Amino acid sequence: MIIILLGAPGSGKGTQAAMIAKKFSIPAISTGEVLRSEVAKGSDLGTLIKATMGSGALIGDDMMIRIIKSRIDSADCSNGFVLDGFPRTVSQARYLDELMFNSGRTISAVFNFNIKEDDLINRICGRFFCKKCGALYNSFFRRTKVDGICDNCGSDSFQKREDDGSEEAVKNRLKNYRETTSELIGFYQKKNLLVSVDALQSPPLIFQGIVNYLTN
Ligand code: AMP
């Protein structure tokens, strides 16, 4: 099962990727996460991409293609995977097609998370996560049950993503998304793979729709 989640930052792809991965026992691959961990480690790659990521701009296709190939070639991806944040451009999508073709695999579905841009700014700027277990919260929509304590693991240590902090960087990310996405949507529409998702629905309802689609 190979699933692609398309959607603007903050549209809820990450939450659904984790739920789908658990349900179908396949890894969720978030290219944003992979890149953020390189920055956190301070690796050569991390140092190279830190400023670009901080500004909300996209990382070059060549580098992204190298990263995704090595991740998809890993043994844990042999039964499939969920992609969150890749492809972001048509050339990345073409490359992914080539990789799939060469390994005799096909993409099962591409879910496109639809949500208005106005609704996204608060959603993104309010995001924070537990430093210990990674559970995701939002100061506007999904606060912890007890103030300052993670519902999941009880930790009192939280963090924001560096590129979620400033409204300017968030707007830049949304602009980049808008500019590249329509072409990408057209690309998958022509292949009859695109499934539209109303991203304003609750996460369990969205998940149910996705599972129904994949299992019917
Ligand atoms: P995300 O967590 O998906 O919002 O990604 C965070 C940042 O990582 C983006 O703003 C880009 O700088 C970079 N990034 C993630 N995935 C890609 C990709 N497929 N192509 C280019 N840049 C990416």
Side-chain angles (χ1 to χ4, degrees):
M1 193 169 277
I2 294 167
I3 298 156
I4 296 176
L5 306 184
L6 290 186
S11 61
K13 307 186 296 303
T15 303
Q16 295 299 323
M19 293 164 89
I20 297 167
K22 193 167 171 207
K23 165 98 183 156
F24 296 104
S25 304
I26 51 177
I29 303 172
S30 154
T31 42
E33 270 308 315
V34 173
L35 297 171
R36 275 188 292 281
S37 82
E38 292 295 329
V39 172
K41 274 191 284 184
S43 66
D44 288 350
L45 172 63
T47 311
L48 203 68
I49 61 177
K50 190 174 186 288
T52 311
M53 281 188 77
S55 75
L58 288 182
I59 306 299
D61 286 338
D62 288 352
M63 189 176 288
M64 290 313 302
I65 282 167
R66 251 183 289 139
I67 290 172
I68 208 73
K69 179 170 175 10
S70 87
R71 182 63 190 89
I72 287 175
D73 282 346
S74 309
D76 67 332
C77 290
S78 59
N79 289 329
F81 46 86
V82 190
L83 286 177
D84 160 15
F86 189 96
R88 286 277 231 283
T89 64
V90 170
S91 55
Q92 290 179 11
R94 288 212 177 94
Y95 179 76
L96 182 65
D97 270 0
E98 201 181 303
L99 273 185
M100 295 298 97
F101 180 78
N102 290 341
S103 57
R105 303 198 272 183
T106 50
I107 295 168
S108 316
V110 179
F111 293 98
N112 182 32
F113 286 56
N114 290 303
I115 184 163
K116 284 203 300 288
E117 227 167 87
D118 289 350
D119 291 321
L120 284 172
I121 307 258
N122 274 351
R123 242 166 120 150
I124 299 173
C125 290
R127 279 201 296 212
F128 64 98
F129 60 91
C130 171
K131 226 171 161 175
K132 192 170 164 207
C133 74
L136 196 61
Y137 299 98
N138 193 296
S139 47
F140 299 101
F141 312 106
R142 200 187 328 149
R143 305 176 66 94
T144 52
K145 285 183 191 135
V146 178
D147 232 12
I149 302 289
C150 175
D151 298 349
N152 194 40
C153 74
S155 160
D156 61 358
S157 186
F158 296 92
Q159 203 174 357
K160 277 181 86 71
R161 268 174 54 173
E162 253 178 56
D163 57 349
D164 279 353
S166 94
E167 194 168 321
E168 196 191 327
V170 169
K171 283 190 172 154
N172 199 21
R173 274 159 68 203
L174 292 176
K175 179 170 157 277
N176 284 329
Y177 182 75
R178 210 184 315 123
E179 282 169 2
T180 50
T181 194
S182 56
E183 227 189 327
L184 203 52
I185 287 168
F187 180 86
Y188 285 122
Q189 230 156 13
K190 274 191 217 134
K191 292 176 177 285
N192 247 337
L193 285 170
L194 203 76
V195 184
S196 195
V197 172
D198 173 3
L200 270 185
Q201 295 177 106
S202 70
L205 213 60
I206 295 175
F207 181 59
Q208 196 53 55
I210 290 176
V211 172
N212 287 348
Y213 183 88
L214 291 172
T215 50
N216 283 331

